[in-house]
């Protein structure tokens, strides 16, 4: 399994009344080409130590990504759980669901109340591809929810309901951004998964996919695996931390004898051609350090995503660009590269904003499609209380 790359995050002082139903409720899935993302809600009066024991057990298996803890004055507690699995190891996801008995926490079939089948909200291409497998192994019927609508619903919920969700990243500094709920729209949502989708969001249910690129997380992982022999995304990401892309990338200074090209605003350290030095040196792949290759590849893809994102924001006059998807993973170099690209091409007029729960937008959006068992009331209350607390903050 992949190594979890970010810390567990709490919603802080946001309170949420527990539903009448104890323990687990409402499992949802986002089954992508590379990763399966899972969200479920647990509630009840169990002690925090018991919850922590469960989380520790999940962390040992590298399943746990992040969570939002909630509590009420009467001592009842609730928690949104966020987990991930590699799609290529889907059996681990199925085994986890079975071990936690999560297959029982979807919706009962409205058409046949006597049915013992459970309907679970799911999105992503894998909701179609693996539907028969989930039915065979777990007795789950996947209720397929549109992927784009889930991404937007998940992003809107997080931006409205969770304090300190969005942040900028510049020169190693993470700065959280306070979101004015009345001035949230419009914005550009850039979801970087295996591929990249760019969505112009104008309201709660008002959005349009305006662009995208096939050069995304799958490209980084696929090319990186071929070039470095790394066996997982996070192994490749960790390798890139130790690399130096200037060994492989052709810089402006390499072309101009170490000088800037100031007339058009290019410094000597700006990349003129990703992997460009490889064509001018008599070296084979084995002559380059894998960590330098990984660094150059990450830089190339991150730069490309940042530039295309800004150009699409420019098309529609958007100043805010939110980046989500599991490609980013809170990785400092990735966020810094995207931020620099957006800042450079916009001449400082636009900013890249990142999300703490970046990889779970689709799964959370699918989760929000439940209308039974009080979940709709829970989410509305969660957002209302968050708004009230934000308005009280000077």
């Amino acid at each position: 399994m992949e190594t979890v790359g970010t810390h567990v995050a709490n919603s802080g002082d946001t309170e949420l009344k527990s539903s009448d139903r104890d323990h687990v409720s409402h499992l949802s899935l986002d089954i992508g080409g590379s990763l399966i993302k899972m969200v479920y809600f647990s509630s009840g009066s169990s002690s925090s130590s018991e919850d922590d024991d469960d989380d520790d057990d999940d962390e040992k298996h590298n399943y746990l990504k992040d969570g939002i803890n909630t509590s009420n004055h009467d001592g009842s507690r609730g928690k949104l759980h966020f987990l991930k699995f590699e799609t290529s190891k889907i059996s681990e996801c199925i085994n986890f669901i079975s071990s936690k008995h999560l297959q029982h926490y979807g919706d009962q079939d409205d058409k046949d109340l006597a049915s013992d089948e459970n309907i679970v909200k799911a999105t992503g291409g894998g909701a179609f591809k693996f539907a028969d497998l989930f039915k065979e192994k777990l007795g789950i019927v996947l209720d397929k929810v549109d992927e784009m609508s889930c991404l937007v619903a998940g992003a809107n919920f997080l931006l409205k309901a969770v304090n300190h969700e969005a942040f900028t990243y510049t020169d190693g500094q993470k700065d959280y951004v306070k979101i004015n709920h009345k001035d949230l729209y419009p914005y550009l949502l850039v979801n970087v998964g295996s591929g990249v989708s760019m969505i112009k969001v104008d309201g709660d249910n008002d959005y349009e996919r305006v662009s995208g690129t096939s050069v995304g997380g799958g490209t980084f992982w696929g090319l990186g695996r071929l070039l470095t022999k790394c066996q997982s995304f996070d192994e490749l990401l960790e390798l890139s931390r130790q690399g130096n892309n200037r060994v492989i990338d052709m810089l402006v200074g390499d072309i101009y004898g170490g000088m800037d090209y100031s007339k058009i605003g290019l410094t000597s350290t700006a990349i003129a051609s990703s992997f460009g030095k490889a064509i001018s040196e008599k070296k084979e792949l084995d002559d380059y350090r894998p960590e330098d290759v990984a660094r150059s590849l990450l830089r190339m893809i991150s730069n490309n995503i940042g530039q295309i994102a800004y150009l699409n924001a420019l098309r529609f006059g958007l100043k805010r660009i939110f980046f989500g998807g599991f490609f980013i993973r809170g990785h400092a170099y990735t966020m810094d590269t995207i931020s620099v690209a957006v800042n450079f091409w916009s001449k400082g007029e636009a900013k890249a904003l990142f999300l703490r729960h970046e990889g779970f937008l689709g799964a959370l959006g699918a989760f929000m499609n439940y209308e039974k068992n009080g979940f709709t009331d829970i989410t509305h209350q969660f957002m209302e209380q968050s708004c009230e607390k934000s308005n009280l903050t000077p």
Side-chain angles (χ1 to χ4, degrees):
M1 279 302 301
E2 299 174 76
T3 303
V4 176
T6 57
H7 61 278
V8 175
N10 291 318
S11 60
D13 56 1
T14 301
E15 295 176 355
L16 172 65
K17 289 183 179 179
S18 174
S19 67
D20 294 334
R21 185 176 184 177
D22 287 345
H23 307 306
V24 173
S25 64
H26 297 96
L27 165 70
S28 65
L29 300 167
D30 178 3
I31 310 174
S34 302
L35 293 171
I36 301 171
K37 286 76 67 177
M38 177 190 301
V39 172
Y40 67 90
F41 181 77
S42 64
S43 64
S45 57
S46 60
S47 68
S48 59
S49 61
E50 289 174 346
D51 292 338
D52 291 341
D53 288 342
D54 287 341
D55 289 348
D56 289 342
D57 182 60
D58 294 344
E59 284 181 325
K60 289 177 183 177
H61 293 87
N62 295 321
Y63 296 151
L64 186 66
K65 165 63 171 63
D66 208 346
I68 301 176
N69 291 317
T70 62
S71 62
N72 195 31
H73 293 300
D74 62 6
S76 60
R77 296 183 178 88
K79 183 171 185 177
L80 279 171
H81 300 258
F82 300 81
L83 301 96
K84 66 178 175 66
F85 305 81
E86 291 182 26
T87 306
S88 62
K89 300 176 182 178
I90 194 170
S91 60
E92 293 187 356
C93 176
I94 290 173
N95 290 339
F96 179 88
I97 291 173
S98 180
S99 69
K100 299 283 187 179
H101 306 290
L102 299 179
Q103 67 268 34
H104 303 300
Y105 299 105
D107 265 357
Q108 191 177 12
D109 193 342
D110 289 330
K111 298 178 182 178
D112 184 5
L113 295 179
S115 173
D116 60 357
E117 291 179 343
N118 286 284
I119 299 175
V120 169
K121 302 293 184 183
T123 190
F128 296 87
K129 183 177 181 179
F130 298 110
D132 291 342
L133 182 63
F134 277 87
K135 177 70 179 298
E136 176 189 349
K137 298 294 185 181
L138 297 168
I140 287 176
V141 175
L142 298 183
D143 183 10
K144 305 166 188 67
V145 190
D146 179 71
E147 187 171 359
M148 291 298 118
S149 65
C150 285
L151 289 172
V152 173
N156 286 342
F157 171 76
L158 289 170
L159 290 171
K160 291 180 180 180
V162 181
N163 292 327
H164 298 114
E165 176 64 32
F167 60 92
T168 59
Y169 192 89
T170 308
D171 297 327
Q173 181 67 40
K174 179 187 291 187
D175 293 311
Y176 286 100
V177 176
K178 184 177 180 180
I179 302 297
N180 182 343
H181 300 168
K182 297 180 180 179
D183 189 35
L184 175 60
Y185 310 114
Y187 67 84
L188 185 70
L189 175 62
V190 182
N191 191 67
V192 191
S194 297
V196 184
S197 286
M198 301 187 184
I199 308 166
K200 179 176 176 281
V201 182
D202 291 304
D204 288 342
N205 298 296
D206 187 3
Y207 63 89
E208 178 187 5
R209 185 182 188 274
V210 294
S211 188
T213 172
S214 61
V215 181
T219 311
F220 176 63
W221 190 347
L223 272 178
R225 187 171 184 273
L226 292 175
L227 295 172
T228 69
K229 309 303 181 185
C230 285
Q231 296 302 305
S232 76
F233 190 105
D234 283 321
E235 181 185 354
L236 182 62
L237 204 58
E238 182 60 33
L239 188 67
S240 72
R241 295 178 190 271
Q242 310 160 34
N244 179 8
N245 67 294
R246 297 183 181 185
V247 175
I248 298 177
D249 292 341
M250 183 181 293
L251 310 181
V252 169
D254 295 325
I255 300 173
Y256 284 87
M259 298 175 61
D260 297 338
Y261 190 173
S262 55
K263 185 176 181 179
I264 59 174
L266 293 176
T267 66
S268 62
T269 57
I271 297 175
S273 176
S274 295
F275 287 86
K277 283 183 180 175
I279 64 174
S280 60
E281 298 175 341
K282 295 182 179 179
K283 293 182 179 180
E284 301 297 329
L285 178 59
D286 291 342
D287 296 321
Y288 292 98
R289 297 193 315 155
E291 46 265 55
D292 296 336
V293 173
R295 184 83 161 195
S296 179
L297 183 61
L298 181 61
R299 183 80 178 221
M300 177 182 73
I301 293 172
S302 299
N303 260 328
N304 187 60
I305 292 171
Q307 181 179 4
I308 294 176
Y310 168 67
L311 291 176
N312 277 281
L314 181 64
R315 287 174 61 197
F316 300 101
L318 306 175
K319 299 298 183 183
R320 285 179 297 188
I321 310 171
F322 292 99
F323 290 85
F326 252 123
F327 169 72
I328 300 169
R329 306 192 186 203
H331 189 260
Y333 189 72
T334 305
M335 293 189 295
D336 188 67
T337 301
I338 291 175
S339 295
V340 168
V342 170
N343 183 71
F344 175 82
W345 291 107
S346 71
K347 294 181 172 58
E349 293 186 3
K351 286 188 177 296
L353 295 113
F354 304 95
L355 302 171
R356 281 195 311 170
H357 298 85
E358 56 198 11
F360 294 94
L361 305 185
L364 185 56
F367 190 58
M368 295 178 68
N369 273 268
Y370 285 110
E371 296 179 353
K372 294 183 178 181
N373 299 324
F375 177 68
T376 301
D377 294 337
I378 290 173
T379 53
H380 287 170
Q381 183 183 26
F382 193 20
M383 285 189 282
E384 287 169 2
Q385 292 185 5
S386 177
C387 290
E388 289 173 2
K389 289 184 178 295
S390 296
N391 292 336
L392 290 173
T393 304

